[in-house]
Structures are given as structure tokens and as C-alpha cells.
Amino acid sequence: MTREEKFMLEAIALSKTGMENNDGGPFGCVIVKGDEIIGRGNNKVHCNNDTTAHAEITAIRDACKNLGSFQLEGCEIYNSCEPCPMCLGAIYWARPAIIYYANTREDAANINFDDSMIYQEMKADIANRKIPMVSLSREKALEIFQQWTTKANKNAY
């Protein structure tokens, strides 16, 4: 068994444990730096009453806390399933080196975790999205963006 398979089996085990505990859907994730697991997560949408508590988000929060950093540079992410659009966005923001996954988004759709509508919405023009999006007070908000560009002591990322 390769080291990658070993870590993937950990992610899959987390998916099973979370499912059995009724924490949420059958999804697990581990984050690895070097040869050490630095973050673990399973889907906790139900037990936390938190739509964002997917396995990857939970694992990213754990790993970042353990690293003392909001970045996961040099880390590997092992998911029991291909990340959903939300998780994929969070993973890109965290900047790991690689993502491994077991089940595909089609496999997830087959058990009623279908994200295809979200993928379609991301491609759609704002005016044609299912949930209306309305821009308000842009001028005031742009003032804060301008202040950010000149802020001397900002923590850029």
C-alpha cells in the first residue's frame, strides 16, 4: 500500500464514522504535511446545523489551526469524494500542493448529493441565476477597497 492510499483510507474511514454518527453526509477528509496528518474532518452539516461544515472545510479549519497559518502550502488533501464547488473554492484559497479524491461528483449525485445545479449557476450570467443577486451601495464599499490598497500594516494574502 502506498502512503497516498494509506491517507485516503483515513479519509474514507472518517466518512464512515461521520455517517454512522449521523453527523452529516458520508464524506471525509484528511490534510497531510510531509508524512503527518495535520487536519481531519468529516461532514458535520447536521450535527453543527452548519451548511458550510463539509468534510473539507472542517479539515481545513483543523489543519490551519494546527499549523498556525491560513495557508496549506506544501500540504496534500485527501477527500473521500471529489470536492463540491464550495469546498473546491476553499481549497484553492488554502493553496495546497495537490488534491486526491476517491468518489467522483457523479458518484455523489447518484446518492442524492448532486451539485450540478451549482456548477451551472457558476457559469450563468448574474442576471440569469436562480437566486437573484442585486448589487447595492457599491460606491461606499469601493471606498473600503481603496483604503485597503493604501493600508500600510495590512496582512496581504
Side-chain angles (χ1 to χ4, degrees):
M1 174 183 310
T2 67
R3 69 180 283 287
E4 290 84 4
E5 290 169 327
K6 179 182 95 170
F7 292 128
M8 183 58 74
L9 290 178
E10 283 290 320
I12 293 168
L14 283 169
S15 74
K16 182 178 183 188
T17 299
M19 177 192 66
E20 289 174 342
N21 292 337
N22 288 320
D23 291 345
F27 304 98
C29 178
V30 297
I31 300 176
V32 174
K33 184 150 191 155
D35 284 324
E36 180 184 355
I37 295 175
I38 58 162
R40 288 179 167 79
N42 61 279
N43 184 295
K44 294 182 181 243
V45 169
H46 290 151
C47 69
N48 289 353
N49 289 319
D50 180 354
T51 300
T52 69
H54 289 197
E56 297 91 333
I57 303 297
T58 304
I60 288 169
R61 290 173 180 160
D62 187 41
C64 288
K65 180 184 74 170
N66 291 331
L67 285 176
S69 172
F70 57 86
Q71 300 287 269
L72 297 176
E73 291 175 312
C75 294
E76 302 167 355
I77 296 185
Y78 294 83
N79 295 319
S80 66
C81 188
E82 183 179 353
C84 75
M86 176 186 70
C87 292
L88 187 59
I91 290 167
Y92 270 93
W93 278 111
R95 298 183 179 100
I98 192 166
I99 304 165
Y100 296 98
Y101 65 93
N103 292 321
T104 67
R105 69 173 86 163
E106 293 82 12
D107 296 330
N110 288 336
I111 63 163
N112 295 317
F113 289 93
D114 188 354
D115 298 322
S116 61
M117 184 275 291
I118 298 170
Y119 286 105
Q120 293 304 314
E121 286 288 288
M122 290 170 33
K123 294 180 202 174
D125 183 77
I126 287 176
N128 296 322
R129 292 191 177 161
K130 294 182 187 311
I131 299 174
M133 294 181 66
V134 180
S135 179
L136 293 174
S137 304
R138 182 170 177 244
E139 296 79 18
K140 289 288 186 191
L142 281 172
E143 290 174 16
I144 308 305
F145 274 15
Q146 182 57 42
Q147 290 172 19
W148 172 259
T149 63
T150 60
K151 185 175 174 13
N153 64 341
K154 66 184 166 197
N155 291 321
Y157 58 96

